[in-house]
Amino acid sequence: MKDTGAEEGGGGDGRDNIGQTEKSQSWIPKIIKKRVCSTFVEDSISNGALCQCGAARDDHASVALGDYFSTAIVNQWKSVQHSSERPTDAFGEVQFAGASKRHSHFLRLSWSTEPSMVYTILTAHWRLPLPNLVVSVVGGEGRTQVKTWVREVLRQGLVKASQSTGAWILTTGLREGVGRCVGQAVRDHATAASSFSLNKVVALGIAPWGLVEKREQLVNPQGSFPAKYYVQNISRDSCSLDNNYQAFLLVDDGSVGRRGGETDFRARLEEFISQQRTGIWGSGSIDIPVVCMLISGETDMLKRMDLSLKSCIPWLVLAGSGGLADFLSDILENRSSAPAVPSSGEGNSEALKAPNVDLKDRVAERFKKHFPSEAQTDKLVEQALSIYQNKDLITIYQGEHESPNDFDTVLLKTLVGASKQQSSVDASPYSDELKLAVTWNRVDIAKSELFNGDIQWKYEDLEDSMTDALINDKPQFVRLFTENGLNILEYLTYGRLETLYRSVPDGTLLYQLLQQCLAERLAIVERHSPSEKQNSSSKMVKDNNQDGPVKEVTLFEVSGVLELLMGDVCQPLYYKALGLQFTSSKRTSLRRANKVLRGDSFYRQLRCPYPWASLFLWAVLQNRSEMALYFWEMAGEAVLSALSGCNILRDLSKLEEETETKLSMKELAQKFENLAHDIFSSCYRSDENRSFTLLIRKSPIWGDTTCLQMGVSADARLFFSNDGVQSLLSQIWWGDMKRNTEVWKLLLAFFCPILCYTNLISFRTQDNQLEEEEMPNEDAVAQDSDNLYGTTVFSFSDIKQHEVDSDVHKSDAIKGVPYRPPQRPFIVSRWRQFWFAPVTSFLGNVLMYFLFLLLFAYMLLVDFEPPPPSGPGAAECVLYFWVFTIVCEEIRQTIFLGTMTWRQRFRLYIQDVWNKCDLTAISLFIIGLICRMFHWSYEFGRDVLCLDYMVFTLRLIHIFAIHKQLGPKIIIVGKMMKDVFFFLFFLGVWLMAYGVANQALIYSYDPNLNRIFRRVFYRPYLHIFGQIPVEEMDVGKDWDVNCTHNVTLIESGEEPCRTHESNWLVVILLVVYLLVTNILLINLLIAMFSYTFSKVQEHSDTYWKFQRYNLIVEYHSRPSLAPPFIILSHINLFIKRVIRKVPSVKIHHFVLDLEAKAANRLSTWETIQKEDFLTARNKIQKSSDSERLKRMSAKVDGVLKHLSESRDFEHRLRSLENQMEYCSSALSWVVDTLSQGSTFKPPRPPPLRDAFASSSSST
């Protein structure tokens, strides 16, 4: 049945499309039935006019009236025997005329309908939110007056608690008694609360069909979408439906005008719901808690309560509300004076058969006191005794004397008390209370009741609740658990991490990405595995697919998603956990992963070495803001973690299609970038050298990447604009030279290298650096370990020397001798300091590039020889060799990029816009070179080389991007180019429209394509700049051009004559064209430029600083010599790498691999800076006006709570005074009696206790 409903229902709340809604619920009459009286049983009171079902004789079918034999035998009508099921004729949506625009769902169903089917309709088709709690309000029916304090309990207690817990409230749903009060309370809270809170409260009415007024308005065999429901005089109590309920289940037992027909179905529905799991897709740690709340009530509810208690459903009795509630509170509160009754095992059944006589008499006496009009009391007393035996499942709530604001705590304790009766002996007595608090997301209750320091929590008690809080996005509970005994290292294993990824909801972007990676792995299994392995694996896949394909997601798919998002900035994560090695072939890694996952997968029992970072990734991938921020606070390497989250979120936002989710991802990414910027600013202010090391330190947590590399991948412009990052880049740019060195000094030293040995250029000496970095310390070993991460490497030569001397450094540190790097000869060291600096390499490349452009221009303008054998000339051959060295440098930049695959290297190379420009220039040069070697393509080759010269010249823009004044302007020009393209689009449309019309109006016939193209496109474009051929366009002017009207001559190429008839229209079009282009479009372009300039100018400095990094990295990795002399460096590089197999150092540019001890000390220092920053930020937030108001309101609530408690103490003191007064009076009477002896009669009667109680109540 559930499958049928799921296939055909598909959702029942499509109010925007009535036809679709009607079609989606057309299957309901085939499954859901109603009840119809099939036997007319005469009611003696009505003299045969009515049946005992409550309906008139005329309302019965002929079959029911014709069964005279059965009618004569039957004395009492029963729904099971005397009614039959028919397809339901009342379902769909109901609209309350004049009351509300909101539609409510309704369904007429038989009392024997399966609860599972109804629950599926409620959740899957009516889309009611899954409950975290179900409160079934029983009693208070009819037109009895509800007490004022009961209304307050329902309004301020029940409904408010339901909003905070996400509960369903079950009542009759009628506009009478308690049902009306609940409806009004839901309406009031819906008006005052936010839309999010509104959707969490569900008021569900379960009423007998035969009792509903105007029910004929709901009848429609095809369904009502919606049914118009109109009831007069809604101000008074009636049995009509209440418009404040979201859904109605109208239970039909075949009777009319009778109450209680829905009791059995309602009890079975409550029992079924109590067996379902909470959370997303039933991922919660507990079943849905169900509690029944008794208000007033009649004696017929004893049976319903007894059956419910036997199903272990707890009850909350509202003492003082009257009726059955007062009776039960009377016998249960005084149970301490009554003899005990066995409550388990066989003793329970024996007590039912032969209850204690004294207890039975007491119950019978109190029953007669509360229900004096009841005649048959024996059976009711037996039911009351059965209820008394389950007294542990009943909680008495003195709502008249307690505050309704604590009602949610009362519900929690009620459910906890019931769950303790079912829990095992080994279970913690507070674990069920904790699970309920997590399910309701009431961290305030957990803090005040469970984590107040009185309970010592164990890891086993918090494990399941932690998983529940993680999956259902409850970060406050995650924080609470980690602060109160949960060890995250012990909790997070690789297997549990896979479980978290498998719990990702369907339809999310992360789910789709995981499924794509999973499909790739399974495709490799089916394509490359042998037949036997393929059959076994397909069988395994089929078995796993019973719970959905997401259950097969492993860490390999997670690693694939992270590689897709983060790119090549880091090595694949979780490969080490799976026992895999990074390979260049993706297919090979897929096959290896299948072999690992096909085994026993022992890695799932291993603990995750970096649990907070793994949870941070899991939260970021799901765009869970609050949880991701908390995990970031707990994870190490704060700057790199924030940049990683920024990188992932920005890549996810590019793939996300939903606008709101995309915006939230961008906002969270910007928040992480701001955190990285602020944390690093704190680090930079604290210690400059350590902060520099922090930027280039290789991180094992994030795949051996660095902060700078991750920042570039995340496009973190704000982070790169930080003063600390720019200071590091400047030091790297200048190398060992001082940053205040003038450019003209560098030029002099460049042309005359011997000047670098003079004092013309100032260098930072190594001794000065060591004196700045060393700190006085008694322990030389500790001092030297500090310098391990206090020394920052600024050049490749220093990196190499640092790696070579690391062993010597370590051994000297162990001996306690301060380490000093070996001194090179002055000539060698000064030469390296000058020529190894990136600024020197940049200057040499700029000068040689200008010479290259001069040579190129000279060759094109002066010395461009004919094809061989006459040419090319000597200057041209030098140019060819120069370009060859440039090509070699581009190949070096592509190949020597570390251990990445060819595809990754080329993808990383092609991502740079200027590399694309280089490829274009080189490709055009090769084409021009080939074409100029042949006579037939000589001119074309020369034309290509001329265009190529323009491309090479535009490459200067990238070179001057390093300049502080020119760099930002280049950024602005790049942004304005986008505006030009938009302008050209509008201009092209208008230019083409005018050009075609103008040509057709001036010349009636002109087949010459050359003239057509010039006059349609080129001439209108010149009109914009004032070049208007008036003589040609205005026939009133003389035009000194020989023309003809002969078609033959025109087709042979002669100039056609102008058309005079429509020349007036040509002039008008010219005026309009000039008006639109010169005034409208040109000013539009100026406005766009002004807007772009003002917008980009604010952030142009940030953009320039970000692009400056790429330029510094490029020249930091380049050889010192510039083309064409760079060929010498390439030959040297080839000998080292290919022949001598010397590992490269420059491929690890801006990367520093620290030892474990130094890395831990650096991480500790970074964590301290992060904590100081967060503390300062929290102080600022607490000092804000909003936080002050929150603290003030909390204090006011506390004062009000203490006032209510003081009232309770006052009431108790009054009762104690009354008892003391009674005792003193009784003692005085005893004294008087004893003083006069036994033969004398006492002078006054003994005092009565009731008299003092009445006097105290009157006071």
Side-chain angles (χ1 to χ4, degrees), residues 658-677:
E658 297 184 4
T659 305
E660 293 183 0
T661 307
K662 180 179 293 187
L663 290 176
S664 64
M665 287 179 177
K666 291 182 179 179
E667 291 176 359
L668 185 58
Q670 188 60 44
K671 188 178 296 185
F672 278 121
E673 184 179 355
N674 294 337
L675 287 173
H677 177 273

Side-chain angles (χ1 to χ4, degrees), residues 628-842:
L629 288 172
Y630 172 67
F631 291 148
W632 170 81
E633 292 179 7
M634 301 300 295
E637 302 185 2
V639 177
L640 183 55
S641 298
L643 292 174
S644 302
C646 176
N647 186 14
I648 294 173
L649 287 167
R650 283 179 175 162
D651 288 334
L652 280 175
S653 64
K654 298 175 183 177
L655 303 176
E656 182 61 52
E657 297 179 356
E658 297 184 4
T659 305
E660 293 183 0
T661 307
K662 180 179 293 187
L663 290 176
S664 64
M665 287 179 177
K666 291 182 179 179
E667 291 176 359
L668 185 58
Q670 188 60 44
K671 188 178 296 185
F672 278 121
E673 184 179 355
N674 294 337
L675 287 173
H677 177 273
D678 297 339
I679 295 295
F680 183 74
S681 297
S682 301
C683 295
Y684 180 67
R685 289 191 297 267
S686 175
D687 192 318
E688 182 177 346
N689 288 330
R690 290 182 179 181
S691 63
F692 290 165
T693 309
L694 190 67
L695 292 176
I696 63 175
R697 179 265 316 266
K698 184 190 297 185
S699 171
I701 300 178
W702 297 101
D704 293 338
T705 187
T706 65
C707 292
L708 292 180
Q709 294 174 352
M710 189 64 72
V712 172
S713 178
D715 197 20
R717 298 186 181 96
L718 179 63
F719 176 74
F720 274 91
S721 66
N722 188 282
D723 293 338
V725 179
Q726 291 301 309
S727 178
L728 173 64
L729 295 180
S730 297
Q731 291 199 25
I732 293 175
W733 178 250
W734 287 96
D736 290 331
M737 291 183 289
K738 292 186 177 180
R739 285 183 285 179
N740 57 357
T741 305
E742 289 83 357
V743 178
W744 65 269
K745 294 182 180 180
L746 291 176
L747 291 175
L748 285 178
F750 184 81
F751 289 106
C752 185
I754 196 172
L755 293 177
C756 68
Y757 295 101
T758 65
N759 295 328
L760 179 67
I761 299 176
S762 301
F763 291 87
R764 294 184 295 111
T765 60
Q766 194 172 21
D767 294 335
N768 293 335
Q769 295 179 23
L770 291 174
E771 290 176 1
E772 293 176 358
E773 291 165 3
E774 289 178 359
M775 300 295 295
N777 195 334
E778 295 180 359
D779 190 356
V781 178
Q783 173 186 353
D784 194 62
S785 62
D786 288 340
N787 291 330
L788 280 176
Y789 60 86
T791 304
T792 306
V793 183
F794 296 113
S795 64
F796 287 136
S797 59
D798 294 338
I799 291 177
K800 184 176 180 180
Q801 189 64 36
H802 178 83
E803 292 179 352
V804 169
D805 299 333
S806 60
D807 296 336
V808 180
H809 188 170
K810 184 176 179 180
S811 61
D812 290 342
I814 294 175
K815 297 175 183 178
V817 180
Y819 171 74
R820 296 283 179 142
Q823 297 290 333
R824 294 189 181 95
F826 174 76
I827 297 177
V828 177
S829 62
R830 181 57 58 88
W831 183 267
R832 291 172 61 90
Q833 286 175 344
F834 178 76
W835 289 104
F836 277 64
V839 64
T840 309
S841 177
F842 171 77

Side-chain angles (χ1 to χ4, degrees), residues 477-516:
F477 273 101
V478 176
R479 183 188 296 268
L480 188 65
F481 294 152
T482 54
E483 292 174 353
N484 290 273
L486 188 136
N487 186 1
I488 195 66
L489 285 171
E490 184 178 356
Y491 170 79
L492 192 65
T493 60
Y494 286 119
R496 183 168 279 116
L497 185 60
E498 287 185 350
T499 303
L500 294 178
Y501 278 103
R502 291 170 185 169
S503 66
V504 175
D506 298 351
T508 59
L509 179 59
L510 177 59
Y511 177 83
Q512 297 173 4
L513 295 176
L514 289 173
Q515 292 304 308
Q516 291 176 6

Side-chain angles (χ1 to χ4, degrees), residues 342-478:
S343 58
S344 61
E346 297 178 356
N348 194 3
S349 59
E350 293 176 359
L352 288 173
K353 296 179 181 179
N356 188 282
V357 179
D358 188 16
L359 176 61
K360 185 175 182 180
D361 293 340
R362 288 174 177 269
V363 172
E365 178 184 356
R366 297 183 182 276
F367 187 85
K368 291 180 180 179
K369 177 182 178 182
H370 288 276
F371 303 101
S373 59
E374 289 290 338
Q376 300 178 356
T377 60
D378 294 339
K379 185 176 181 180
L380 297 175
V381 170
E382 293 293 336
Q383 293 175 354
L385 289 173
S386 178
I387 292 173
Y388 180 79
Q389 293 173 3
N390 295 300
K391 58 183 178 294
D392 294 327
L393 296 175
I394 303 175
T395 302
I396 306 299
Y397 177 64
Q398 300 289 345
E400 190 174 5
H401 306 296
E402 297 183 20
S403 173
N405 295 325
D406 300 331
F407 192 77
D408 48 3
T409 308
V410 175
L411 288 176
L412 180 64
K413 293 180 178 180
T414 301
L415 293 168
V416 169
S419 60
K420 287 179 181 178
Q421 305 302 320
Q422 308 173 32
S423 60
S424 60
V425 179
D426 298 333
S428 173
Y430 302 98
S431 60
D432 296 317
E433 188 173 356
L434 177 60
K435 292 178 180 178
L436 287 172
V438 173
T439 302
W440 296 356
N441 199 18
R442 295 302 303 273
V443 69
D444 53 341
I445 295 178
K447 287 182 178 179
S448 60
E449 302 291 336
L450 303 175
F451 293 93
N452 51 10
D454 299 335
I455 305 173
Q456 297 296 327
W457 290 98
K458 299 180 181 178
Y459 168 77
E460 295 78 9
D461 302 331
L462 303 176
E463 186 177 7
D464 293 338
S465 298
M466 180 69 169
T467 305
D468 189 359
L470 286 172
I471 294 177
N472 294 290
D473 194 15
K474 297 170 182 177
Q476 294 180 346
F477 273 101
V478 176

Side-chain angles (χ1 to χ4, degrees), residues 1012-1077:
I1012 289 176
F1013 179 80
R1014 289 176 179 272
R1015 290 171 177 174
V1016 169
F1017 294 101
Y1018 181 60
R1019 187 170 63 184
Y1021 178 73
L1022 294 178
H1023 290 355
I1024 302 175
F1025 304 100
Q1027 298 185 15
I1028 303 173
V1030 181
E1031 295 82 3
E1032 180 183 357
M1033 304 184 65
D1034 189 358
V1035 295
K1037 303 285 185 179
D1038 294 333
W1039 191 32
D1040 298 333
V1041 175
N1042 296 326
C1043 62
T1044 180
H1045 291 285
N1046 191 333
V1047 176
T1048 305
L1049 295 177
I1050 293 174
E1051 290 179 350
S1052 64
E1054 294 292 332
E1055 179 73 24
C1057 292
R1058 299 171 296 176
T1059 302
H1060 295 268
E1061 288 77 8
S1062 55
N1063 188 256
W1064 61 273
L1065 187 56
V1066 173
V1067 176
I1068 294 177
L1069 287 180
L1070 177 61
V1071 173
V1072 175
Y1073 172 74
L1074 293 176
L1075 179 68
V1076 173
T1077 53

